[in-house]
Amino acid sequence: MFKVNGAQANRLIGRAAALLFEVSPHIFAALCVAAGTVLLTSGVTPAYEDRLDEVRAILPPILIELSHFGASISGFLLLLLSAGLWRRRRGAWLAALIVLLAAAVFSLLKGLDWEEAAQVLFLAAAMAPCRAAFNRRSRVFEALSPSWVMLVLTVVAGMLWLGFFAYRDVAYTDDLWWSLLIDREVSGFLRVGAVLSLLAVVIAGRSLVSAPGARSHGPASEPDIQRALTVLQTGDGVMPDGWLAMLRDKALMFSPSGRTFLAYRVIGRRWITMGEPIGPQEEHLALLWAFAELADSYGGVAVFYAVEETALADLATMGLAVRKIGEEALVDVHAFTLQGKSRQNLRTAINRCEREGATFEMLPTGAAIADMGQLKAVSDIWLTHHIGVEKGFSLGRFDPDYLALTPVAVVRQEGRIVAFANLMPGGDRLAVDLMRFTPDAPPGVMDYLFIRAIEWARDNDYRWLDLGRAPLAGLENRRLAPVFARVGALVFEEGGALYGFAGLRAWKAKFAPEWRPCFIAAPTSTPLALALLDVALLTSGGWRGMLGLNAKRASPAARPSEAPAIAEED
C-alpha cells in the first residue's frame, strides 16, 4: 500500500497550493464574469416589492435609480476587467476590487439585495490576498480578444432579452425613458440597456480593429540592429532568413544572453515571426516561449511563419497547430552537374550568355557599395517592368545598407551590370534573396547567374544554394487532408492568374533541388488562413500592394516581350 510521510504530504500540499496560486487569475476572471452576469441579470429583473418599499421610505427615488444604474454598470465593468484578470494585470486586480465593493453598495441601495452584495463582497475578500498573482503591468486601454468580445456581446444580448421578457406586459411609451421607479423599474432597464448596448458595440468595434502592441513594437532600434548583426556575423546557429532582420522593418526580441534573436511584426492581433530563432539551438525553445508569452501579455497571439522541420519539436512542445505552407528549393552544390539531357537548357543558357559577352562576378561583403549606382539602375528598371513596388518582411528590397552586408552575385555585359542577386549566408548554405535583371540582358541570364553561383558556393565550402520558397507547393488535395491543405493545393494548381505558383516551382525545379517543407505554426484557436493573409499584407505593404494597386508598370510598348520573368516568392 502506498504511504505518504509527513514531509511528502507537506511537499505535495505546497506544490498544489503553488499551482492553485498560479491559476488563481483565471479562476478569479471566471468568477468576475459570473458576478458581472448576476449583476446585469439583477438589473433587468424586478426587485422584491417589500424590500423596495423599505428603501423608498429612506432614500429619494433619484438615488435608488442611480444605484440601480450603478449596479448594472458595475456588472458590465466586471465583464471587461475579467479579461485583464485573465492576463494577470495588476491594474485589473485593483480595479476589480473597487468595482466589487461599489457593486455591493449599489446592490443594497437599489433594493436591499443583500444576497447579491454578500456574493460580490466574498469574491472581493478572496481576491484581496492574491495581489502577487497579478504580476503584469497594466495598460490604459487593452483591446479584448475576439473570444472575450463574443462573451461580452453574448451577456449583454442575454440581458436585453431577459429584460424585454420580464417587462413584456408593460406598454411602451416615451415617458418610460424619463420616469423614475414606475412600472417595476422598466424605465431603468431601458436606460441601462441602451447605454450598455452602445458601450458594448463601441468596445467590440475598437477591440476587433486594434493591433495590441503594434506601436510599442515597431522597427528595431539601431542598437538592436547592431546586436543582431553581431549574432549573424558570429555564425553560430545562423539561418539565412536571419539577414532579413537587417531590412529594419521588423522588431527584434533577444534571448537573455543576447546570442539569439527573433524578428517579428505585429499586425492586428497576430505577432508574426519571420522564420525561427537565430542563434544557438539550446536557446530556441526558451525564446519561443518568451515571445509567445509577450504576445499573450498584450492580448495577441504568436504566429511562427516559414519555420523549418528542425523547429517542429519545439513548436509541438508549445502545443501549437502546424501546417505546411510550401517547399524550399535547396540545390546540393556538390551533386549539381550540367551533364545529361535534362540539363540541355542550362547549358544553352550558359553558352548564349557567354557568347553575348556576359561574365559572372561575386562581389564579397561590402564590395557592392562601389557598384551601388549600377545595381540601383538595374533594380529600378526591373521594378518598372515587373511588380512595380518593393516588398518587405519575408522578402528583401533594394537597400544599399542591406546589400552591403552580404555577397552579391552580378552578371556584367561589356562592363555594365545587367543582373544581380544578393546571397544570404547561414551555416552550410547560401540563400538567394533579391533577384533583379534588365530587359536587355541576354536570354537566360538568371539561369546563368544561378549556375555560376552554385559553382562559387561549391568552391567556397558551402553545401547548399537555397533558391527560396515555392509557396503552397507540396500540399495534398486528398479527402482526409485538412481543409487548409486542400484549398492551398487548389490555389497552387489553378491560381495561375493570381500568382505563378506552379510556374515558380517549375522554374526552380530545373536545377534539381532537394525540396524541403516549410511551415506556419500558431495556437489552435488561430485561423491559419487569416495568419497567411496577414503575412501577405506585411510582405506586400498592405492591401493596395497585395492587389497591385501601387504598381507602376511600363507601358506595353516599352515592355520587352522577350524578357524572362522570374517571380519573387512570398
Side-chain angles (χ1 to χ4, degrees):
M1 184 176 179
F2 179 72
K3 294 183 179 180
V4 178
N5 58 37
Q8 289 177 323
N10 290 336
R11 186 166 59 252
L12 289 174
I13 293 173
R15 295 189 66 175
L19 179 61
L20 181 62
F21 181 80
E22 182 67 21
V23 300
S24 62
H26 295 170
I27 296 174
F28 287 127
L31 292 176
C32 280
V33 170
T37 303
V38 168
L39 288 168
L40 290 175
T41 302
S42 175
V44 299
T45 52
Y48 293 109
E49 286 295 337
D50 54 341
R51 297 185 185 182
L52 189 57
D53 289 339
E54 294 181 26
V55 174
R56 285 172 175 163
I58 302 173
L59 301 177
I62 186 64
L63 183 56
I64 300 174
E65 181 67 20
L66 289 176
S67 299
H68 183 276
F69 185 82
S72 298
I73 293 296
S74 297
F76 184 75
L77 290 177
L78 286 175
L79 294 180
L80 302 182
L81 290 171
S82 60
L85 295 175
W86 188 275
R87 297 170 188 161
R88 305 174 185 275
R89 301 291 190 210
R90 291 191 297 265
W93 170 83
L94 179 59
L97 286 180
I98 295 173
V99 171
L100 287 170
L101 294 176
V105 175
F106 291 140
S107 296
L108 293 174
L109 295 181
K110 73 183 178 69
L112 290 181
D113 196 340
W114 59 266
E115 299 93 345
E116 187 177 287
Q119 291 172 6
V120 294
L121 285 175
F122 178 80
L123 178 54
M127 281 182 57
C130 299
R131 160 68 177 78
F134 299 88
N135 53 9
R136 288 179 176 171
R137 183 167 52 91
S138 302
R139 311 186 196 286
V140 176
F141 173 82
E142 183 167 24
L144 302 179
S145 65
S147 57
W148 227 275
V149 167
M150 289 300 301
L151 173 65
V152 171
L153 292 178
T154 300
V155 173
V156 172
M159 178 206 73
L160 293 175
W161 176 86
L162 183 61
F164 282 114
F165 178 80
Y167 300 117
R168 62 189 182 278
D169 296 329
V170 177
Y172 176 82
T173 65
D174 290 339
D175 292 339
L176 290 176
W177 291 97
W178 317 113
S179 302
L180 298 178
L181 294 173
I182 64 171
D183 295 319
R184 295 175 295 177
E185 302 88 47
V186 65
S187 300
F189 156 68
L190 289 176
R191 285 189 287 271
V192 168
V195 171
L196 296 188
S197 298
L198 179 61
L199 287 176
V201 170
V202 171
I203 292 174
R206 183 173 179 182
S207 295
L208 293 176
V209 301
S210 66
R215 291 186 178 182
S216 56
H217 292 76
S221 64
E222 188 59 30
D224 281 347
I225 290 292
Q226 294 305 315
R227 290 177 66 193
L229 181 58
T230 300
V231 174
L232 292 168
Q233 292 174 338
T234 300
D236 185 9
V238 171
M239 300 291 288
D241 280 348
W243 289 96
L244 294 173
M246 298 297 101
L247 292 170
R248 292 173 165 80
D249 63 345
K250 305 172 188 66
L252 300 178
M253 183 177 184
F254 290 86
S255 66
S257 70
R259 297 189 301 150
T260 307
F261 73 88
L262 199 61
Y264 65 96
R265 288 280 302 275
V266 179
I267 177 171
R269 306 196 64 81
R270 284 176 273 275
W271 293 45
I272 303 176
T273 71
M274 180 54 233
E276 53 203 76
I278 304 299
Q281 181 66 39
E282 61 269 18
E283 295 189 349
H284 283 200
L285 181 58
L287 184 57
L288 291 173
W289 274 117
F291 177 74
E293 290 166 356
L294 178 65
D296 178 71
S297 73
Y298 280 86
V301 294
V303 177
F304 301 94
Y305 171 72
V307 295
E308 299 188 4
E309 290 177 295
T310 53
L312 293 188
D314 288 342
L315 298 174
T317 300
M318 299 172 67
L320 304 180
V322 179
R323 293 289 183 270
K324 183 178 179 180
I325 57 171
E327 295 176 326
E328 286 186 305
L330 272 68
V331 178
D332 187 335
V333 299
H334 296 288
F336 179 78
T337 178
L338 290 172
Q339 303 303 314
K341 184 177 180 180
S342 62
R343 306 298 170 84
Q344 177 61 50
N345 290 337
L346 298 181
R347 294 195 298 271
T348 299
I350 291 178
N351 294 333
R352 179 179 295 175
C353 287
E354 292 184 345
R355 189 167 55 247
E356 296 189 20
T359 59
F360 174 84
E361 180 183 358
M362 182 67 76
L363 303 178
T365 300
I369 296 176
D371 292 301
M372 202 60 69
Q374 289 194 60
L375 296 176
K376 187 176 189 309
V378 172
S379 178
D380 289 345
I381 294 173
W382 191 89
L383 287 171
T384 301
H385 290 89
H386 290 87
I387 60 175
V389 292
E390 293 281 15
K391 293 183 179 292
F393 188 66
S394 63
L395 293 173
R397 63 173 182 270
F398 189 89
D399 183 308
D401 294 333
Y402 171 63
L403 293 179
L405 295 174
T406 60
V408 178
V410 301
V411 176
R412 299 182 188 269
Q413 188 177 35
E414 298 179 354
R416 180 175 64 93
I417 295 177
V418 294
F420 73 89
N422 76 306
L423 303 175
M424 306 180 296
D428 61 352
R429 74 172 82 166
L430 280 173
V432 177
D433 181 24
L434 205 62
M435 300 180 290
R436 303 284 159 91
F437 58 92
T438 61
D440 59 351
V445 66
M446 296 309 293
D447 292 350
Y448 172 70
L449 184 149
F450 285 171
I451 293 169
R452 294 304 186 218
I454 291 171
E455 296 170 346
W456 185 90
R458 180 184 59 214
D459 295 340
N460 286 268
D461 298 325
Y462 287 98
R463 171 70 188 282
W464 307 97
L465 182 71
D466 187 344
L467 300 181
R469 285 176 290 277
L472 305 183
L475 302 187
E476 296 283 351
N477 184 19
R478 297 180 180 271
R479 183 176 63 87
L480 297 180
V483 174
F484 180 91
R486 300 189 68 177
V487 173
L490 176 64
V491 173
F492 178 83
E493 295 167 2
E494 307 295 340
L498 176 66
Y499 186 92
F501 296 103
L504 178 62
R505 190 185 192 280
W507 184 85
K508 295 179 179 183
K510 61 186 175 182
F511 295 94
E514 176 181 314
W515 294 100
R516 294 185 181 178
C518 52
F519 305 89
I520 187 171
T524 54
S525 60
T526 300
L528 293 179
L530 295 181
L532 277 180
L533 174 62
D534 285 340
V535 172
L537 292 172
L538 289 173
T539 300
S540 302
W543 284 102
R544 290 183 59 85
M546 192 172 71
L547 298 176
L549 301 179
N550 291 333
K552 298 178 181 179
R553 301 181 182 271
S555 64
R559 192 177 304 147
S561 60
E562 296 182 357
I566 301 175
E568 292 184 311
E569 70 275 8
D570 288 337

